[in-house]
Amino acid sequence: MTLPKTLEGRLKLPAIAAPMFLTSGPDLVVECCNAGVLGTFPALNQRSTEGVSDWLDEIAGRLAPGAAPHGVNLIVHRSNPRLDADLAEVVRHKVPLVITSLGAVREVVEAVHSYGGLVFHDVINRRHAEKAAEAGVDGLIAVCAGAGGHAGTLSPFALVEEIRAFFDGTIILSGAISTGRHIATARMLGADLAYLGTRFIATEEAMVNAANKQMVVDSAAADILYTPKISGVHANFMRPSILAAGLDPDNLPDHGKLDMENEAKAWKTVWSAGQGVGAIHNILPAAELCSRLIEEYETAREGGI
């Protein structure tokens, strides 16, 4: 297992509760961290940099002694005008983990490393992984087929193996991971950590509305549509939410280029989820879900898988 020293012995489960746009907030982060799972949120879930600072203060004040570390996701893309200001707050608060998306920039990595923080970067192919490794990131999140949000199309068997061939840092696997058994399987594939997003939508602490949570429970893999026509970047969305928004999933208009403001508007009415929805059958408190995942993971390990 290739884990940075700052994470060794601090996780009860080799997993990260992924930062989900419009979904992850302080309640979800705190409950996951206190249960031993690394919890994260996107900086853009707050409307301002001041709001990000407030959330970081709140999270720090609510974490129990011995809790797992927490993290913040930063969109490193020219369409994000808040990057520099949000990064400054991350550095000021010495956030343990920063997850970067849509761009790997050495200056961002160096800023986080300046106080001993970690940077994990999400990638969907080898070329992106190589560029992120060159930027000096500590971990690569292999976002494989079936993941929620901005997903890739490669099999985890392919992408994890290719990344491991040139990268000796931490590898995190994302893509339809919903159970403790899945987490154990991710470890067997060569990943150091699993990355779960969709499973945490169906928790009491997720910031989305009850209808969104129930749609995750009611959906199956066939209900997930992979398209760039919602946000400008290929991502997975639930077909029932597209229909509910008055759109035809099979005849969507072209979106155009990625624009963070328009993307925020789109994701409020069209809901993202990964293909792992078929393994989600209930809405639970996050702490209870984490305990269940830990138990399932240990059972899978004891069973030799």
Side-chain angles (χ1 to χ4, degrees), residues 216-242:
V216 169
V217 172
D218 294 339
S219 294
D223 296 310
I224 305 302
L225 177 66
Y226 184 68
T227 178
K229 294 185 177 182
I230 299 297
S231 69
V233 177
H234 273 94
N236 278 313
F237 296 91
M238 291 185 286
R239 295 176 70 95
S241 73
I242 298 174

Side-chain angles (χ1 to χ4, degrees), residues 43-226:
L44 293 180
N45 276 2
Q46 264 285 6
R47 294 186 177 183
S48 67
T49 297
E50 292 76 15
V52 174
S53 179
D54 291 342
W55 272 10
L56 290 173
D57 287 336
E58 178 184 348
I59 289 168
R62 292 173 58 189
L63 291 178
H70 62 285
V72 173
N73 172 229
L74 297 177
I75 301 297
V76 185
H77 188 272
R78 60 182 178 274
S79 66
N80 177 15
R82 276 177 35 196
L83 174 60
D84 291 343
D86 288 351
L87 176 60
E89 284 303 314
V90 164
V91 172
R92 188 172 74 84
H93 285 83
K94 298 183 179 180
V95 177
L97 172 65
V98 173
I99 297 170
T100 54
S101 304
L102 300 177
V105 177
R106 182 173 292 276
E107 288 75 16
V108 173
V109 176
E110 291 174 349
V112 177
H113 283 175
S114 71
Y115 63 85
L118 300 171
V119 178
F120 292 171
H121 184 71
D122 54 25
V123 301
I124 62 172
N125 56 45
R126 178 168 181 153
R127 180 175 64 84
H128 291 165
E130 289 173 340
K131 291 177 66 175
E134 291 172 2
V137 302
D138 305 283
L140 293 171
I141 304 168
V143 186
C144 295
H150 296 140
T153 59
L154 291 177
S155 162
F157 290 94
L159 188 52
V160 169
E161 197 71 20
E162 288 195 7
I163 291 174
R164 186 58 80 193
F166 67 87
F167 184 67
D168 60 2
T170 302
I171 294 179
I172 307 95
L173 179 60
S174 171
I177 300 175
S178 299
T179 70
R181 182 183 294 270
H182 294 165
I183 296 170
T185 303
R187 294 291 313 283
M188 288 195 68
L189 282 175
D192 303 296
L193 297 168
Y195 202 64
L196 292 77
T198 300
R199 184 60 191 91
F200 283 93
I201 298 175
T203 58
E204 292 180 1
E205 291 81 3
M207 296 193 303
V208 298
N209 61 39
N212 191 337
K213 298 176 186 182
Q214 191 60 46
M215 188 177 290
V216 169
V217 172
D218 294 339
S219 294
D223 296 310
I224 305 302
L225 177 66
Y226 184 68

